[in-house]
Amino acid sequence: MRMDPLQTAIVDAGPTHLRVRGYDVLELMTQGTFTDMIFLLHHTRPPTPVERRLIDAILIGGADHGPGAPSCAAARLAASGNRQSPSAAIAAGVLTIGDEHGGAGSACMELIAEGIERSRRDGITFARAAAALVDEARAAKSRLPGFGHRMHSVIDPRVDVLFTLAKDSGLAGDGIGMARALEQAIAQRIKPIPLNIDGALAAILHDLGFPPLFGKLIFIVSRVAGISAEVLEEYTREKPMRITFPVAYDGAPPRRSET
Amino acid sequence: MRMDPLQTAIVDAGPTHLRVRGYDVLELMTQGTFTDMIFLLHHTRPPTPVERRLIDAILIGGADHGPGAPSCAAARLAASGNRQSPSAAIAAGVLTIGDEHGGAGSACMELIAEGIERSRRDGITFARAAAALVDEARAAKSRLPGFGHRMHSVIDPRVDVLFTLAKDSGLAGDGIGMARALEQAIAQRIKPIPLNIDGALAAILHDLGFPPLFGKLIFIVSRVAGISAEVLEEYTREKPMRITFPVAYDGAPPRRSET
Amino acid sequence: MRMDPLQTAIVDAGPTHLRVRGYDVLELMTQGTFTDMIFLLHHTRPPTPVERRLIDAILIGGADHGPGAPSCAAARLAASGNRQSPSAAIAAGVLTIGDEHGGAGSACMELIAEGIERSRRDGITFARAAAALVDEARAAKSRLPGFGHRMHSVIDPRVDVLFTLAKDSGLAGDGIGMARALEQAIAQRIKPIPLNIDGALAAILHDLGFPPLFGKLIFIVSRVAGISAEVLEEYTREKPMRITFPVAYDGAPPRRSET
Amino acid sequence: MRMDPLQTAIVDAGPTHLRVRGYDVLELMTQGTFTDMIFLLHHTRPPTPVERRLIDAILIGGADHGPGAPSCAAARLAASGNRQSPSAAIAAGVLTIGDEHGGAGSACMELIAEGIERSRRDGITFARAAAALVDEARAAKSRLPGFGHRMHSVIDPRVDVLFTLAKDSGLAGDGIGMARALEQAIAQRIKPIPLNIDGALAAILHDLGFPPLFGKLIFIVSRVAGISAEVLEEYTREKPMRITFPVAYDGAPPRRSET
């Protein structure tokens, strides 16, 4: 029977060759870094040294924030109950990643793109475009993705590192400009809510030419390294079924079926 | 209510610091590579330059082998039916990874460790220890993990690259020695079945001091980069529900319930 | 250390008792059906006999539509590559379920609720409210969830069974009324696109008082039965790694890195 | 391009018909129960009334044991971080199910089958065969699957319900006989460790003619109903990212990279 082939512009794999975006993987294996490969897989070319530095910083910064994060906690729970498959535990961790946990990068990239587009289209400054976006979010009572973090009420030190790297590299572009404009507008119109790690990477990834969805994907690729390490620790150091939870019931009192 | 804390020796995260295995993550962000972080998370120290080169080669070599591999095909299927969550698609891809697909590295690391242990314990050569293991697997009709590949009947070129890198780096140790001994024993006693990519990385990872489980984990960390890129392509280039399968029914003929 | 307990109004489990929504699970085990339990878990009371009949029909109708569906195909792919964990294969199948595959029930429940609300609020007939919704979807070029199916261009016979059951049971309410009004409005204003299984269950579930999210959840609960059976067949009848895909590369030609 | 079709003996789906194991699904929708469908999907025929009662009891008994169980806790964690996809949360819950959590049914079915086989082969009583198995497990320091539960140190009341149902139904066969023999042998040779819910269902499922793998699968099918309900509650009653964990670091002290 027939089925349509799975078409791809990413990988060309044959019995004697393996190329990604046209580049020879064997050559990359001897000279490149995994970060080059991650860039190449999601872009159309390898990174420049400056771009590689920024992507490395983002990947390192997001890899692990401790076992209390939903991603690592869920992976440990799965490793606690199901010790037949480390991939099952890693997948359970990946599944906790969404708009609320580590996935705000994508939404922030869309917000940044929208602000830049408005500035161009309406011939207004970044500051005014950012103010408009903040007012709209406030009116709609919606959160501004990429700002605020439940654990770092004042500042996440990783954000400064990322922005310093971006500035030093000469890469600072419209994405970073709009992110800063949004941060200022939020401080003036609501209260100071610092850009978080998702917002910082959103600004940089915009300036590197990645599509918004990559904001989520790079966090997943990064965090899988940490999830994997925590699964290894759970398998080798802890007993199965060791994680128990306090529970409280507040539903209906005992009652009898009428049947 | 109380619950036992999730203990870890990997990450120390506080409001003002973030350390992995005691090393400052902020410093790593400005100077290290993602490969350093992956090494550090699963080991107890950062890699040397030679170790970094080998891990980079393994991570690059396993990242993507085309959308026909179960991992990428399953991720695309999930992205085809469920476009609300890229993490769901990536998790579906991860879940296909087991002993049969990309997970042979761990089993091969155990085999290599067993061979080396026998050689030491019984005072025999690697060749004799390998021959014994091959004979036992043959008698038990079990496969030898790390040897053979469904797509590369002759040779996977990535294997040579890995071994050349290992040799050039001066890192070639007992792991690689035992892997080669096993390959030779298989050729003499069964038929030539070349070491595959899982076997090559198993040999190297053994020599770098990683535990057997890391053989599976590094493949997952590596392949998630490729799965992620294929999910991005599926989301941005293809329509939902575009993947259909030919199906054949060969079960019971139509019959009526007797109730 | 402290953590907030996981609160729930569903289950009260103790060393000597187990109650769901206040009802004794031991008693249910001797007298009830699994469908009663599914209803009770997602509602606040057990079903009446007529409600049980409808939920059974929905659960039976959605359980399995063949291995070509993304849910079952992805589960088989995972079982093909990872034979260490049946739960990994079932999870891979579940992950393909979203708005595009079997998840339209929820969106259709929201559409139906919106139509009924408009009719009430604006004092217009269901027909007029439905016509407005269809026109708006058309203008926005968005699909109407619950209508159309890639495999049944004319009619899905399961839809008639569900509606006949609903009519015979005397349960037909506003949900079914609005679903039929939408179907008619689509036929008049676009082209005849029959209500599919998701749409039928959306109408019935609305009339039974379930929240919109249950439209997705009941499909998952139902389909897991089929996925599980297909995983059992894959494990017991097929060899690992037997599923291969045709692939086509249409990306950049071979090129050399400039580094 | 060509690919082998996905063959199946379970479902025959066409544009005008849908049959499972040869039985008309439309007819089942009007007359059967979801439990009939679950039985039919995993067996080759529908259940008798007595068999249906037992399967219903197993499915009801395993559906939900509170949010503290790894399956439900992991699903809630995923729903807490990723609110884009209920199927992602349900999958995360499913992934925690393995030999250690709810998956012991399969292993216990294998143990029971081994005991019965020995009794027949060696012409010894069930008591002697059970004693031998218990002694071997004790010597190997391995656990006996299907016995003991972390929350019910004395007795799980669901076990009695299942066995009473099995006895009343006249279905009590070799499976139940061997399970009781094992329980007695454990009490005499180690200490009283009551049969748990996994062991009870293993005994019954053996007597109903299901393969060992079904011991895991029926628990997953059953538990998905509870996971789904807990995900619904988490989505509709709780805020995103509300679940936090106490964490303790006990790794290396702060140190500086030498690079």
Side-chain angles (χ1 to χ4, degrees):
Chain A
M1 288 181 212
R2 288 181 53 81
M3 83 169 276
D4 290 333
L6 294 175
Q7 269 188 306
T8 182
I10 304 171
V11 176
D12 184 10
T16 58
H17 69 274
L18 179 59
R19 282 189 285 270
V20 169
R21 306 280 182 192
Y23 294 94
D24 186 358
V25 171
L26 299 180
E27 199 185 301
L28 264 171
M29 286 172 72
T30 62
Q31 296 168 22
T33 72
F34 186 39
T35 301
D36 292 335
M37 185 65 164
I38 293 168
F39 193 106
L40 187 55
L41 281 161
H42 295 86
H43 214 287
T44 56
R45 55 166 180 81
T48 65
V50 158
E51 292 171 332
R52 179 187 302 121
R53 172 78 271 134
L54 285 164
I55 298 293
D56 267 318
I58 291 171
L59 289 166
I60 291 167
D64 203 335
H65 210 256
S71 47
C72 292
R76 282 178 179 270
L77 259 172
S80 187
N82 176 5
R83 211 149 270 203
Q84 282 70 57
S85 174
S87 59
I90 292 176
V94 168
L95 289 171
T96 66
I97 302 175
D99 286 356
E100 288 75 22
H101 175 42
S106 293
C108 188
M109 286 179 81
E110 285 166 4
L111 185 72
I112 285 168
E114 165 75 9
I116 294 168
E117 168 62 17
R118 282 201 196 187
S119 162
R120 280 190 196 141
R121 197 186 54 208
D122 303 345
I124 54 176
T125 61
F126 274 21
R128 280 198 52 196
L133 286 173
V134 170
D135 288 346
E136 288 164 25
R138 214 183 163 188
K141 292 185 181 175
S142 62
R143 287 188 306 170
L144 285 150
F147 296 85
H149 192 284
R150 62 172 174 150
M151 287 186 61
H152 301 276
S153 56
V154 186
I155 194 155
D156 182 332
R158 294 173 295 176
V159 177
D160 272 341
V161 174
L162 283 183
F163 278 132
T164 304
L165 282 173
K167 213 170 99 188
D168 291 355
S169 69
L171 253 191
D174 281 355
I176 293 172
M178 179 52 68
R180 287 299 187 201
L182 284 163
E183 194 175 38
Q184 240 171 333
I186 291 169
Q188 287 164 356
R189 284 153 191 280
I190 306 177
K191 61 172 182 179
I193 307 175
L195 210 64
N196 61 28
I197 189 87
D198 296 314
L201 68 86
I204 290 167
L205 295 177
H206 176 97
D207 287 339
L208 294 180
F210 285 101
L213 190 57
F214 188 60
K216 267 184 194 167
L217 296 173
I218 196 173
F219 178 74
I220 296 172
V221 170
S222 161
R223 179 54 55 94
V224 162
I227 294 172
S228 163
E230 301 218 14
V231 167
L232 178 59
E233 192 180 56
E234 187 72 30
Y235 263 71
T236 52
R237 180 173 140 163
E238 308 291 351
K239 287 189 186 161
M241 291 300 282
R242 62 130 185 162
I243 307 179
T244 57
F245 286 82
V247 166
Y249 175 73
D250 61 2
R255 48 184 173 169
R256 292 191 62 80
S257 164
E258 285 156 38
T259 357
Chain B
M1 286 180 214
R2 287 181 53 81
M3 84 167 275
D4 289 334
L6 294 175
Q7 270 187 306
T8 182
I10 304 171
V11 176
D12 184 10
T16 58
H17 69 273
L18 179 59
R19 283 188 285 269
V20 169
R21 306 282 181 190
Y23 294 94
D24 186 357
V25 171
L26 299 180
E27 198 185 301
L28 264 170
M29 285 173 73
T30 62
Q31 295 168 21
T33 72
F34 186 38
T35 301
D36 292 336
M37 185 66 164
I38 294 168
F39 193 107
L40 187 55
L41 281 162
H42 295 87
H43 214 287
T44 56
R45 55 167 179 81
T48 65
V50 157
E51 291 171 332
R52 179 187 301 121
R53 172 79 270 131
L54 285 165
I55 297 293
D56 267 318
I58 290 172
L59 289 166
I60 292 168
D64 203 335
H65 210 255
S71 47
C72 291
R76 282 177 179 270
L77 259 173
S80 187
N82 177 5
R83 212 150 269 204
Q84 283 70 59
S85 175
S87 59
I90 291 176
V94 168
L95 290 171
T96 66
I97 301 175
D99 286 355
E100 288 74 21
H101 175 43
S106 292
C108 188
M109 285 179 82
E110 285 167 3
L111 185 72
I112 285 168
E114 166 74 11
I116 294 168
E117 168 61 18
R118 282 201 196 187
S119 161
R120 281 193 194 138
R121 198 188 53 208
D122 303 345
I124 55 176
T125 61
F126 274 21
R128 281 198 51 197
L133 286 173
V134 169
D135 289 345
E136 288 164 24
R138 214 182 163 188
K141 291 185 182 176
S142 62
R143 288 187 306 169
L144 286 150
F147 296 85
H149 193 282
R150 62 171 174 149
M151 287 186 62
H152 301 276
S153 57
V154 186
I155 195 155
D156 183 332
R158 294 173 294 175
V159 177
D160 272 342
V161 173
L162 282 183
F163 277 133
T164 304
L165 281 173
K167 213 171 98 187
D168 291 356
S169 70
L171 254 191
D174 281 355
I176 292 172
M178 180 52 67
R180 287 297 186 205
L182 284 162
E183 195 175 37
Q184 240 171 332
I186 291 169
Q188 287 164 355
R189 282 150 195 279
I190 306 176
K191 62 172 182 178
I193 307 175
L195 210 64
N196 61 28
I197 189 86
D198 297 316
L201 68 87
I204 292 167
L205 295 177
H206 175 97
D207 287 338
L208 293 180
F210 286 101
L213 190 57
F214 189 60
K216 266 185 196 166
L217 297 173
I218 195 173
F219 179 73
I220 296 173
V221 170
S222 161
R223 179 53 55 94
V224 161
I227 294 173
S228 163
E230 301 218 15
V231 167
L232 177 60
E233 193 179 56
E234 187 72 28
Y235 264 71
T236 52
R237 181 174 139 161
E238 308 292 351
K239 287 190 186 161
M241 291 300 281
R242 63 129 185 163
I243 306 180
T244 57
F245 286 82
V247 166
Y249 176 74
D250 60 3
R255 49 184 173 170
R256 291 191 64 80
S257 165
E258 285 156 38
T259 356
Chain C
M1 286 180 214
R2 287 182 53 79
M3 86 167 275
D4 290 332
L6 294 176
Q7 270 188 306
T8 182
I10 303 172
V11 175
D12 184 10
T16 59
H17 69 274
L18 179 58
R19 282 189 285 270
V20 170
R21 306 281 182 191
Y23 295 94
D24 186 357
V25 171
L26 299 180
E27 199 185 299
L28 264 170
M29 286 173 73
T30 61
Q31 295 169 21
T33 71
F34 186 39
T35 301
D36 291 335
M37 186 66 165
I38 294 167
F39 193 106
L40 188 56
L41 281 162
H42 296 86
H43 213 287
T44 56
R45 55 166 180 82
T48 65
V50 158
E51 290 171 333
R52 179 186 303 123
R53 172 79 271 134
L54 285 164
I55 297 295
D56 268 317
I58 290 171
L59 289 166
I60 291 168
D64 202 335
H65 210 255
S71 47
C72 291
R76 282 178 180 272
L77 260 171
S80 187
N82 176 6
R83 211 150 269 203
Q84 283 69 58
S85 174
S87 59
I90 291 177
V94 167
L95 290 170
T96 66
I97 301 176
D99 286 355
E100 289 75 22
H101 175 41
S106 293
C108 188
M109 284 179 82
E110 285 166 3
L111 185 71
I112 285 169
E114 166 74 10
I116 293 168
E117 168 62 17
R118 281 202 197 187
S119 162
R120 280 191 195 139
R121 198 187 53 209
D122 302 345
I124 54 175
T125 61
F126 273 23
R128 283 198 52 195
L133 287 173
V134 170
D135 287 346
E136 288 164 24
R138 215 182 162 187
K141 291 184 183 176
S142 62
R143 286 188 308 170
L144 286 150
F147 296 85
H149 192 282
R150 62 173 174 149
M151 287 186 61
H152 300 276
S153 57
V154 187
I155 193 154
D156 183 331
R158 293 173 294 174
V159 177
D160 273 341
V161 173
L162 282 184
F163 277 133
T164 303
L165 281 174
K167 214 171 97 188
D168 292 355
S169 70
L171 254 191
D174 280 356
I176 292 172
M178 180 52 69
R180 287 299 186 200
L182 284 162
E183 194 176 36
Q184 239 171 333
I186 292 169
Q188 287 164 356
R189 296 165 124 65
I190 307 175
K191 63 171 181 178
I193 307 175
L195 210 65
N196 61 28
I197 189 85
D198 297 316
L201 68 86
I204 292 168
L205 295 177
H206 176 96
D207 287 338
L208 293 181
F210 285 100
L213 190 56
F214 188 60
K216 266 184 194 166
L217 297 173
I218 195 172
F219 179 73
I220 296 173
V221 170
S222 161
R223 181 52 58 94
V224 162
I227 294 172
S228 164
E230 301 218 14
V231 167
L232 177 60
E233 193 180 56
E234 188 73 28
Y235 264 70
T236 52
R237 181 173 140 164
E238 308 290 351
K239 287 189 188 164
M241 290 301 280
R242 61 126 187 166
I243 306 179
T244 57
F245 286 81
V247 166
Y249 175 73
D250 60 2
R255 49 186 175 170
R256 291 192 62 81
S257 164
E258 286 157 36
T259 359
Chain D
M1 285 180 214
R2 288 181 53 80
M3 85 168 275
D4 290 333
L6 295 175
Q7 270 188 305
T8 183
I10 304 172
V11 175
D12 184 8
T16 59
H17 69 274
L18 180 59
R19 282 189 285 269
V20 169
R21 306 283 182 190
Y23 294 94
D24 186 358
V25 171
L26 300 180
E27 199 184 301
L28 265 171
M29 286 172 74
T30 61
Q31 295 169 21
T33 71
F34 185 39
T35 301
D36 292 334
M37 185 66 165
I38 293 168
F39 192 106
L40 187 56
L41 280 162
H42 296 85
H43 213 287
T44 57
R45 55 166 179 83
T48 64
V50 157
E51 291 171 333
R52 179 187 303 122
R53 172 80 270 133
L54 285 164
I55 297 294
D56 268 317
I58 290 171
L59 289 166
I60 292 169
D64 202 335
H65 210 254
S71 46
C72 291
R76 282 178 179 271
L77 260 171
S80 187
N82 176 5
R83 211 150 271 202
Q84 283 69 59
S85 174
S87 58
I90 291 177
V94 168
L95 290 170
T96 66
I97 300 176
D99 287 356
E100 287 75 22
H101 175 41
S106 292
C108 188
M109 285 179 82
E110 285 166 3
L111 185 72
I112 285 169
E114 166 75 10
I116 293 168
E117 168 62 17
R118 282 203 195 186
S119 161
R120 279 193 196 138
R121 198 188 53 210
D122 303 345
I124 54 175
T125 60
F126 274 23
R128 282 198 51 196
L133 287 173
V134 170
D135 288 346
E136 288 165 24
R138 213 181 164 187
K141 292 187 181 175
S142 62
R143 286 188 308 171
L144 285 150
F147 295 85
H149 191 282
R150 63 172 173 149
M151 286 187 61
H152 301 275
S153 56
V154 187
I155 192 153
D156 182 331
R158 293 173 295 174
V159 178
D160 273 341
V161 172
L162 282 184
F163 277 134
T164 303
L165 281 173
K167 213 171 98 188
D168 290 355
S169 70
L171 254 190
D174 280 356
I176 292 172
M178 180 51 69
R180 287 299 185 200
L182 285 162
E183 195 176 37
Q184 239 172 333
I186 292 169
Q188 287 164 356
R189 282 150 193 284
I190 308 176
K191 63 173 181 178
I193 307 174
L195 208 65
N196 61 27
I197 188 86
D198 296 316
L201 69 86
I204 291 167
L205 294 178
H206 175 96
D207 287 338
L208 293 181
F210 285 100
L213 189 56
F214 189 60
K216 266 185 195 165
L217 297 174
I218 195 173
F219 179 73
I220 296 172
V221 170
S222 161
R223 181 51 58 93
V224 162
I227 295 172
S228 163
E230 301 218 12
V231 167
L232 178 60
E233 193 179 56
E234 187 73 27
Y235 264 70
T236 52
R237 181 174 140 164
E238 309 291 350
K239 288 190 187 162
M241 291 300 280
R242 63 130 185 163
I243 306 179
T244 57
F245 287 81
V247 166
Y249 176 73
D250 60 3
R255 48 185 176 169
R256 291 192 62 80
S257 164
E258 285 156 37
T259 357

